[in-house]
Amino acid sequence: MQQNHYEAVFILTPVLSEAQMKDTVAKFKEVLTAQGSDVYHQEEWGLKKLAYPINHKTTGFYALLEFKADPKVIKTLETEFRRDERVLRHLTVSLDKNAVEYNARRRGGAFNKKTETSTEA
Amino acid sequence: MTLINETVVRNAENRKKYCRFKKSGIKYIDYKDPNFLLKFVNEQGKLLPRRLTGTSLKFQRRVAQAVKRARHLALMPYVTDALK
């Protein structure tokens, strides 16, 4: 079964405590690893202001999971996202080779976060 | 007496527009980086057309897809009045 690269970004409601946020993210990571996919990167952007209110909330806790998985794992991940009411919004994206290379560079700090230069390649 | 209209000097517009992605070798447009995407969106948050930005069709589609994903994740607004 050919494993593809994927990236899932999701927003949690801000009303949760820090611990609840952590274990929600861990829960999704668990759903993935249980299905034999390897989560090779995890990022939390923390509480950020949303560009527009999502069901009356103006801030959200952003989290990102980058993983390699079988295509059928994504279906269960998506249903998991929909079932969990703490998740305001989620987006799972498949990554092509340019994207994977870009993410590897991003993790390596090629685009320094401070100046947020836009030299993505 | 034939009417000869003088040549209209418009070098501001007709300098050769180029696709900034091909020129700078950018291959992937990241939907997670709103500051970069703001360059392709006007004050109301709407996508700029290719005739203004000069990007090639291939990269305009990628920019459009990235902006729409960023909007879905509330990193960028769907419509606003004072974006920049």
Side-chain angles (χ1 to χ4, degrees), chain A residues 19-77:
Chain A
Q20 282 166 326
M21 306 240 190
K22 286 276 180 302
D23 73 48
T24 323
V25 175
K27 179 195 125 185
F28 286 116
K29 200 170 176 182
E30 186 45 46
V31 163
L32 281 174
T33 39
Q35 310 252 325
S37 71
D38 126 50
V39 182
Y40 55 88
H41 179 59
Q42 180 188 339
E43 241 175 63
E44 269 134 25
W45 302 339
L47 271 174
K48 271 179 80 148
K49 209 172 151 353
L50 301 178
Y52 51 87
I54 300 178
N55 54 44
H56 310 300
K57 296 191 177 47
T58 54
T59 60
F61 183 87
Y62 280 78
L64 165 88
L65 288 177
E66 227 182 296
F67 54 96
K68 245 158 82 78
D70 301 335
K72 62 182 177 1
V73 170
I74 302 303
K75 199 157 177 27
T76 53
L77 178 73

Side-chain angles (χ1 to χ4, degrees), chain A residues 12 15 45 61 88 98 108 113:
Chain A
L12 304 180
V15 86
W45 302 339
F61 183 87
L88 282 182
N98 292 331
K113 276 286 166 266

Side-chain angles (χ1 to χ4, degrees), chain B residues 24-61:
Chain B
S24 55
I26 294 180
K27 286 203 180 53
Y28 174 69
I29 300 165
D30 187 16
Y31 63 92
K32 305 189 289 294
D33 174 13
N35 309 334
F36 180 62
L37 295 178
L38 284 182
K39 296 187 176 62
F40 307 99
V41 150
N42 67 5
E43 278 70 33
Q44 284 92 19
K46 295 157 78 170
L47 272 162
L48 288 175
R50 283 178 60 212
R51 66 172 191 275
L52 296 186
T53 55
T55 54
S56 63
L57 178 59
K58 175 172 159 177
F59 283 101
Q60 177 72 11
R61 285 197 183 124

